[in-house]
Amino acid sequence: MIRIFFFLFLVTNLFSAEVERHRWVNGETYLVFLEKHSLPIRPLYYNLDKDDQRLTEEMRAGVHYQILRDANETIQQVLLPLNDELQIHIFKTKKSYKFEAIPIISTTKIESFATKIVSSPNYTIMKETGSKKLAQIFTANFRNSLNFKNDIRQGDNLVMIYEQKYRLGEVFSMPILHVAMIEMKKKKHYIYLNDDGRYYDEKGHEVEGFLLARPVRGARVSSYFTKRRWHPVLHKWKAHLGIDYAARRGTPIVAAGSGRVSYAARLGSYGNLVKIRHADGYETRYAHLKSFRRGIRHGKYVKKGQTIGYVGTTGRSTGPHLHFELRKRGRAINPLRVVQVTTKKLKGKEKKAFVRLQKNYDESIALHLNNQTSYKKGAPFRAKCYIHSLGCTQNG
Ligand SMILES: [Zn+2]
């Protein structure tokens, strides 16, 4: 299948003047965006199916997006990244415009650096790399296990190995920490990302995560979380940024964690929606509710396991179910990865595999320490493209 609309944004030569780079501003909605650029709302919103409509709600403030105009200033294409894997592609056809969700092409690099503590790890990492995100993932992962305030000394060592995505030669999306080491009072502390996607310390004990209860007791999962999936029947890219629990109408829904209700009302395709704000920037969302539990309103504090509402099928929903989402600082994450976390100690086969992985990581850490590897930004791309196409090569 040749998709003639798929083409590359070559930032060199002829197109350079027409590709505009924008930032999605706080409070901007997809519909406002369409209106602002005089793009037709019917084909680009009202005629979409519910999943695609839901996708349009995923645009977040601060995200960079691109608009390509032709010589007459007419918009030819728009690319709106929704997460690190999927983007909305709006493109001009003969008569109108079309909407599709397509994968984001990015390259991933493993990067590392070693540095010496100047003051807090946060400050040190910022100073070394200029990356708030790297500082964030470091402190977030050690937060529960170490006391940086009292036990850290100037000149102590810190090493990080992580995975970073690049798109158009620029850092893109949150880095993923693979291993980090920090020295405190002459003792080295490690954190490792294991093959199971969880973090463990040097003893193979899981570093505590955020614990969630199942929001509907005994319910079957009818649809899993996916940031991007090819739908074989519909022949298009879809995303499902939550988990669906099939349950009878009226089944109680409980708060997955303790927190404060930040929303309890109707909201577009979500129908009756409850949002709960938890510690550390986590938020859970419960959609399509038949009704809210009495007293569940904005500002109310709820305990984990407390009933907040009842299963229904309000909003854009095909039958009674709970659509459950977990977000961290606005970004959808897979609830199951965290839900199933109970502080785990690796044993047997798993422990053996972990020890092997740990050994490799320790060797890398030792090497970086020895070389005092400094932070380097990824090499610039030779050709820049968003959408994969013939002749569009990526390096990096
Ligand atoms: Zn759902």
Side-chain angles (χ1 to χ4, degrees):
M1 184 179 56
I2 298 165
R3 319 276 315 248
I4 51 161
F5 303 112
F6 273 50
F7 75 77
L8 34 149
F9 279 13
L10 280 172
V11 178
T12 53
N13 64 51
L14 182 112
F15 289 124
S16 55
E18 292 100 342
V19 180
E20 302 164 4
R21 205 156 163 271
H22 300 265
R23 241 171 116 87
W24 199 263
V25 295
N26 208 357
E28 186 167 5
T29 66
Y30 177 75
L31 288 175
V32 166
F33 164 82
L34 293 181
E35 217 170 303
K36 199 167 80 182
H37 293 285
S38 308
L39 289 163
I41 290 179
R42 187 170 294 276
L44 297 179
Y45 186 74
Y46 289 115
N47 291 351
L48 305 180
D49 69 23
K50 70 169 164 63
D51 290 338
D52 284 347
Q53 285 192 345
R54 172 78 52 78
L55 278 183
T56 66
E57 294 163 18
E58 286 302 311
M59 282 304 292
R60 285 185 324 275
V63 166
H64 288 281
Y65 66 95
Q66 290 77 23
I67 296 179
L68 180 80
R69 292 180 198 269
D70 63 16
N72 303 322
E73 288 289 295
T74 307
I75 292 181
Q76 291 295 321
Q77 294 195 67
V78 180
L79 287 170
L80 306 173
L82 298 165
N83 54 42
D84 49 2
E85 296 195 2
L86 199 65
Q87 61 192 340
I88 290 173
H89 180 214
I90 292 171
F91 57 94
K92 197 169 180 329
T93 59
K94 268 210 177 95
K95 284 181 192 148
S96 180
Y97 283 91
K98 265 200 159 150
F99 173 106
E100 64 178 359
I102 56 169
I104 286 176
I105 309 283
S106 62
T107 35
T108 303
K109 285 180 187 167
I110 304 294
E111 300 179 344
S112 45
F113 66 89
T115 187
K116 291 203 185 293
I117 294 288
V118 263
S119 67
S120 71
N122 200 63
Y123 177 82
T124 305
I125 296 166
M126 282 289 290
K127 191 167 174 284
E128 172 75 27
T129 68
S131 166
K132 217 178 188 172
K133 290 175 173 175
L134 282 174
Q136 240 176 39
I137 60 167
F138 181 90
T139 38
N141 282 296
F142 275 113
R143 189 195 46 227
N144 291 328
S145 50
L146 298 178
N147 181 354
F148 294 135
K149 272 202 189 88
N150 303 327
D151 298 341
I152 213 144
R153 297 283 174 274
Q154 232 179 41
D156 278 350
N157 287 297
L158 184 157
V159 181
M160 273 177 94
I161 302 177
Y162 56 93
E163 183 183 311
Q164 178 68 63
K165 281 188 175 159
Y166 286 86
R167 176 178 181 245
L168 277 172
E170 281 174 18
V171 164
F172 169 63
S173 183
M174 207 58 187
I176 297 169
L177 182 65
H178 281 201
V179 56
M181 188 283 291
I182 184 164
E183 204 177 53
M184 282 163 70
K185 289 187 169 168
K186 299 245 152 48
K187 189 176 176 329
K188 292 186 173 76
H189 301 267
Y190 296 84
I191 234 165
Y192 306 90
L193 175 62
N194 196 17
D195 290 336
D196 59 8
R198 301 171 177 184
Y199 287 98
Y200 294 87
D201 65 12
E202 54 269 32
K203 291 181 219 107
H205 294 180
E206 186 175 14
V207 182
E208 212 174 309
F210 174 69
L211 302 176
L212 286 179
R214 209 180 169 82
V216 190
R217 290 196 182 105
R220 174 178 65 87
V221 172
S222 55
S223 181
Y224 286 93
F225 176 95
T226 162
K227 274 188 186 168
R228 146 182 142 186
R229 170 175 74 96
W230 176 252
H231 198 294
V233 181
L234 298 175
H235 264 268
K236 56 195 245 176
W237 290 96
K238 312 276 272 176
H240 186 238
L241 301 177
I243 289 179
D244 288 347
Y245 291 98
R248 289 243 282 282
R249 198 185 300 265
T251 307
I253 296 163
V254 303
S258 302
R260 206 164 283 285
V261 174
S262 58
Y263 193 90
R266 220 167 229 278
L267 186 72
S269 59
Y270 279 117
N272 286 330
L273 173 74
V274 173
K275 291 188 194 177
I276 300 175
R277 232 194 333 256
H278 309 279
D280 300 327
Y282 282 103
E283 181 194 88
T284 48
R285 295 183 182 180
Y286 313 75
H288 310 311
L289 272 56
K290 175 174 164 272
S291 55
F292 306 103
R293 171 99 190 258
R294 208 138 56 101
I296 295 300
R297 65 174 72 93
H298 185 270
K300 166 110 181 143
Y301 183 82
V302 289
K303 278 210 158 133
K304 178 166 156 181
Q306 189 181 331
T307 299
I308 52 168
Y310 306 94
V311 171
T313 184
T314 54
R316 277 187 167 252
S317 160
T318 44
H321 76 282
L322 170 71
H323 172 89
F324 174 65
E325 290 181 12
L326 173 68
R327 291 180 180 255
K328 181 146 197 201
R329 298 183 216 295
R331 193 176 289 259
I333 52 180
N334 185 354
L336 283 191
R337 284 186 79 168
V338 192
V339 169
Q340 288 168 345
V341 166
T342 40
T343 308
K344 192 172 156 183
K345 288 182 188 175
L346 293 171
K347 285 195 286 266
K349 251 194 195 155
E350 283 186 325
K351 176 82 187 243
K352 265 195 187 147
F354 173 75
V355 169
R356 268 200 305 277
L357 178 127
Q358 186 179 26
K359 199 171 155 267
N360 284 332
Y361 274 142
D362 287 354
E363 281 169 13
S364 305
I365 293 264
L367 203 71
H368 290 308
L369 258 182
N370 200 37
N371 298 344
Q372 283 294 304
T373 309
S374 58
Y375 176 79
K376 261 187 232 79
K377 277 202 166 172
F381 281 48
R382 279 193 299 270
K384 299 181 173 188
C385 62
Y386 281 109
I387 303 170
H388 211 55
S389 163
L390 287 173
C392 182
T393 52
Q394 277 194 301
N395 69 350

